[in-house]
Amino acid sequence: MKYPIGIQNFDELRRGNYVYIDKTSLMWELVSEGKYYFLSRPRRFGKSLLISTMEAFFSGQRELFKGLYVDSVDWDWQQYPILHLDLNVQQYESKEDLLKVLNRHLEVWEKQYDSPYGERDVWERFLQVVRRAYEKTGRQVVILIDEYDKPLLQANGNETLQSEYRNTLKPFYGVLKTCDRYIKFAFLTGVTKFGKVSVFSDLNNLTDLSLDYRYATICGITEEELHRYFDESVALLAEANKMDKKACYERLRYDYDGYHFDVGAPGMYNPFSVLNTLSSRRFRDYWFETGTPTFLVNQLQKTNYPLEMLTREELFEDTLNSIDVMDENPLPLLYQSGYLTIHGYNEQFKLYQLGFPNREVEEGFVKFLVPFYSPNKAERPQLFIANFVRDVETGNAEGFMQRVERFFDGGDYQVAGKAELYFQNVLWALFKLLGLYVDVERHTTDGRMDILVQTKDFVYILELKIDKSADIALQQIEDKQYAKAFEGDGRRVFKIGANFSSTTRRLTEWKVGG
């Protein structure tokens, strides 16, 4: 079996006899029922291949669709004029970089459709190209825009550059509304959806498919598709890893499944990770290794976001579907980028609950977080993780607290924001990375535990104080009876009081009680 890893061209995929999961029934619904669409999906989820499939369809290349659903529908298979703009091919460091890409496309289209307006602004040139394409061919135009938001995402944190990009792209994309009479079909993809200050603020004719149950499976691999298209490949993967096939399917599900793009929608597998795993016959974090979420971590730190709320906070749909609030709340950006996904929905209050989609994303993201929150930049925290987890799992509370103390011995390193929140964030990330059950500010009948860590044999209750003492922290654990909930469950309970300096950001004192 040939796996289309990195292949985003439908023509190449079909002529090269690569495996193709037939999504053309959903594409046909879009074509036959509407006209203007937007789809947000994480990177490497098949958006570009979907665009390429649409391009082949509107080009009348019926031979490429032989055996697929759309080959049997009532369609004229004529060649429509197609304007395909791919913004994923450039690094955008200035407005000139954006104009260079737009000009490159416009010059090709202007030559193709005899549009003599090359000296005007890019948006007007685009408008004239659409009009000339319609007049020259006698057919309405198909507009396909891939990764519309790439320049905007690369300019995050630079409001001046963001504004320049918006001012350029807003009238350019506005042509979709101005030229309605000339347009047959328009489809735009991206990772994020910019809302009220957006290039889309005037495009009220776009149907957003991003949270549409009907099209939740249009990109990615469903459980049924994994079994139907790849069962033999899974058998080979199981054999190579000395597993039975059932266990291999469970491992694939645990590592790469779990993306939900609407309430109750089927879980979707990350296609990039699945194809790479089946091809190499080795389980690795393929998707996470292809991109580093540095900007996302910077947003978490910039907003002083409490990390334990990553999987607890609930969001309204209009917040979930926009990143305009990212300077106050980074979760929508984390969701739209694929690091969080929908885990539940509160129907009464119309609130979405988020969580990590699978092991690959959770473990990779938390591992990536730790160095950013580490006080000691000279030595990456992963170096001491093996000994750290051994101490926690064997009940060596003194040993693991000594490691925590060394971990925070970061010299002159300073962190903005509330000291207690900083301390909690670091410990949450560390324990989470170790695969341990960690809870922050867990409510009890008499108060809230600062940090609770549980293993099969041990329970650790950590109470944190700022500029006080370890004894005061231990006394609070006793006074609030935090350990009472674990009486009789057979595990040994460690009560740990710790004092943290708001000035030095160091752990200055700690004591372990039993």
Side-chain angles (χ1 to χ4, degrees):
M1 179 178 288
K2 297 177 67 175
Y3 302 97
I5 299 170
I7 297 177
Q8 301 173 344
N9 183 278
F10 182 72
D11 187 304
E12 179 184 355
L13 186 151
R14 294 292 285 170
R15 295 189 193 280
N17 293 315
Y18 291 91
V19 62
Y20 174 71
I21 298 173
D22 189 3
K23 303 286 189 178
T24 61
S25 62
L26 294 173
M27 182 188 73
W28 172 246
E29 285 185 30
L30 294 175
V31 172
S32 58
E33 295 180 6
K35 187 170 180 177
Y36 297 97
Y37 297 101
F38 168 72
L39 177 68
S40 168
R41 284 293 183 270
R43 59 184 173 82
R44 295 188 179 272
F45 232 85
K47 301 187 299 294
S48 296
L49 178 58
L50 178 60
I51 286 275
S52 181
T53 307
M54 292 175 173
E55 185 170 16
F57 178 73
F58 283 107
S59 296
Q61 300 183 70
R62 187 170 188 173
E63 71 278 6
L64 297 180
F65 295 89
K66 185 176 180 181
L68 303 181
Y69 173 86
V70 81
D71 188 36
S72 63
V73 303
D74 184 17
W75 178 247
D76 58 21
W77 291 102
Q78 295 185 55
Q79 183 172 357
Y80 288 84
I82 298 171
L83 305 179
H84 181 179
L85 174 62
D86 185 357
L87 292 181
N88 198 37
V89 295
Q90 177 78 35
Q91 290 295 317
Y92 300 93
E93 298 179 356
S94 67
K95 180 181 177 181
E96 287 68 33
D97 291 332
L98 174 58
L99 291 175
K100 188 182 300 182
V101 172
L102 297 179
N103 278 323
R104 187 162 61 239
H105 284 82
L106 285 166
E107 287 169 359
V108 172
W109 299 335
E110 286 166 344
K111 183 176 180 180
Q112 184 176 1
Y113 298 111
D114 301 323
S115 182
Y117 299 95
E119 299 303 318
R120 302 190 182 186
D121 289 340
V122 289
W123 69 268
E124 188 172 359
R125 291 168 63 191
F126 186 36
L127 183 151
Q128 296 297 343
V129 164
V130 173
R131 181 182 64 83
R132 290 291 298 146
Y134 171 76
E135 292 173 348
K136 185 174 180 179
T137 64
R139 299 190 182 99
Q140 288 179 301
V141 179
V142 172
I143 299 175
L144 304 173
I145 301 177
D146 199 7
E147 303 291 1
Y148 91 95
D149 55 351
K150 184 72 174 287
L152 296 163
L153 285 173
Q154 290 189 356
N156 267 322
N158 185 337
E159 183 52 42
T160 299
L161 194 55
Q162 276 266 3
S163 179
E164 289 181 348
Y165 288 164
R166 279 197 302 267
N167 292 339
T168 301
L169 290 172
K170 186 173 181 178
F172 188 88
Y173 293 143
V175 170
L176 272 67
K177 189 170 185 178
T178 307
C179 291
D180 179 66
R181 60 177 292 198
Y182 305 127
I183 297 174
K184 171 73 174 177
F185 183 82
F187 194 88
L188 293 81
T189 74
V191 172
T192 61
K193 184 179 180 183
F194 291 76
K196 61 181 180 297
V197 294
S198 163
V199 296
F200 284 167
S201 57
D202 294 331
L203 283 180
N204 53 12
N205 56 338
L206 273 179
T207 299
D208 187 359
L209 306 176
S210 306
L211 284 173
D212 191 321
Y213 181 90
R214 298 169 298 171
Y215 301 100
T217 63
I218 199 167
C219 290
I221 301 173
T222 67
E223 183 78 27
E224 186 274 332
E225 289 167 342
L226 181 65
H227 284 262
R228 174 153 53 102
Y229 289 93
F230 300 106
D231 192 63
E232 291 183 8
S233 299
V234 173
L236 293 172
L237 175 65
E239 181 181 353
N241 289 273
K242 297 180 173 55
M243 309 165 69
D244 63 49
K245 191 160 72 170
K246 180 180 179 182
C248 191
Y249 270 115
E250 290 174 353
R251 174 70 185 275
L252 286 167
R253 186 180 306 113
Y254 178 66
D255 280 6
Y256 310 125
D257 190 19
Y259 293 88
H260 295 272
F261 299 111
D262 195 16
V263 180
M268 300 300 296
Y269 286 80
N270 184 315
F272 186 78
S273 292
V274 168
L275 292 175
N276 273 281
T277 301
L278 296 178
S279 176
S280 67
R281 299 179 190 171
R282 289 292 179 265
F283 291 93
R284 285 179 54 188
D285 297 342
Y286 296 98
W287 181 80
F288 201 92
E289 291 171 355
T290 62
T292 56
T294 303
F295 171 72
L296 300 178
V297 179
N298 290 338
Q299 283 299 115
L300 287 169
Q301 292 185 313
K302 179 181 177 181
T303 58
N304 290 312
Y305 193 82
L307 295 180
E308 83 278 0
M309 294 302 294
L310 286 172
T311 57
R312 290 183 180 182
E313 189 171 351
E314 297 177 315
L315 299 177
F316 291 105
E317 180 175 337
D318 58 349
T319 303
L320 182 67
N321 209 22
S322 171
I323 67 167
D324 295 324
V325 297
M326 67 180 179
D327 286 335
E328 303 168 9
N329 188 339
L331 290 198
L333 186 58
L334 284 163
Y335 164 73
Q336 294 183 27
S337 301
Y339 294 93
L340 296 175
T341 194
I342 296 170
H343 272 203
Y345 185 67
N346 185 316
E347 180 67 37
Q348 181 180 1
F349 299 104
K350 311 299 181 185
L351 288 168
Y352 287 88
Q353 294 103 39
L354 302 181
F356 293 109
N358 50 50
R359 185 220 48 90
E360 177 188 16
V361 176
E362 178 173 6
E363 186 175 296
F365 189 65
V366 175
K367 186 181 296 184
F368 192 79
L369 277 176
V370 172
F372 285 84
Y373 284 87
S374 169
N376 193 340
K377 298 295 184 181
E379 180 181 358
R380 293 179 67 83
Q382 286 89 336
L383 296 176
F384 82 147
I385 282 175
N387 289 327
F388 189 102
V389 72
R390 182 179 61 188
D391 288 340
V392 174
E393 290 184 342
T394 58
N396 184 5
E398 296 277 347
F400 98 72
M401 285 303 296
Q402 288 171 1
R403 297 185 193 283
V404 170
E405 183 176 5
R406 289 198 297 272
F407 181 74
F408 280 97
D409 187 15
D412 60 357
Y413 179 72
Q414 295 293 315
V415 175
K418 186 180 177 183
E420 186 174 5
L421 174 61
Y422 160 65
F423 191 32
Q424 288 179 343
N425 277 344
V426 175
L427 291 183
W428 180 92
L430 273 176
F431 292 135
K432 197 75 172 176
L433 177 59
L434 302 174
L436 301 169
Y437 176 85
V438 56
D439 209 352
V440 177
E441 294 198 345
R442 175 170 172 172
H443 287 265
T444 69
T445 55
D446 293 318
R448 295 183 301 181
M449 304 181 200
D450 280 340
I451 295 178
L452 171 69
V453 180
Q454 299 184 62
T455 72
K456 179 173 62 72
D457 300 311
F458 304 100
V459 175
Y460 300 86
I461 300 172
L462 283 77
E463 184 63 29
L464 314 179
K465 292 300 175 186
I466 307 298
D467 301 327
K468 293 183 180 178
S469 72
D471 286 327
I472 291 176
L474 279 175
Q475 190 60 49
Q476 181 169 326
I477 294 175
E478 296 298 333
D479 293 345
K480 300 293 185 179
Q481 300 184 64
Y482 290 155
K484 189 176 182 61
F486 304 100
E487 290 179 357
D489 81 351
R491 291 180 292 179
R492 182 177 177 182
V493 177
F494 291 100
K495 306 165 187 175
I496 302 173
N499 184 63
F500 190 58
S501 170
S502 62
T503 303
T504 66
R505 296 298 201 269
R506 293 183 182 184
L507 181 61
T508 59
E509 182 189 19
W510 53 269
K511 290 185 179 180
V512 178

